[in-house]
Amino acid sequence: MNQPHDDNEPRVVHVDPQQPVGGAIIDAHGQEVPITEKMIQHACEELDDEWFLAPAKN
């Protein structure tokens, strides 16, 4: 039996980290490389490591 879903609650979809997620990049050799969940997670981790607060404006 399925439990009712609250529309205000975000849905979580688990995917295989190596499964393409619907986009691609072109590498240095002109080859199309599908973007994977693992690539997106890696990019997010790099951004998390690099962010900083901007100086306050007076």
Side-chain angles (χ1 to χ4, degrees):
M1 182 172 160
N2 291 340
Q3 298 206 357
H5 177 72
D6 182 0
D7 287 334
N8 293 328
E9 197 174 304
R11 288 188 175 195
V12 177
V13 178
H14 298 280
V15 297
D16 176 354
Q18 297 302 328
Q19 178 181 353
V21 292
I25 60 172
I26 306 298
D27 70 10
H29 305 288
Q31 300 295 313
E32 190 173 279
V33 179
I35 297 171
T36 65
E37 176 70 16
K38 185 175 181 178
M39 293 165 76
I40 293 170
Q41 291 296 328
H42 179 73
C44 289
E45 288 169 4
E46 284 187 7
L47 289 171
D48 280 345
D49 291 342
E50 303 272 333
W51 83 274
F52 60 92
L53 292 176
K57 291 186 178 181
N58 294 334

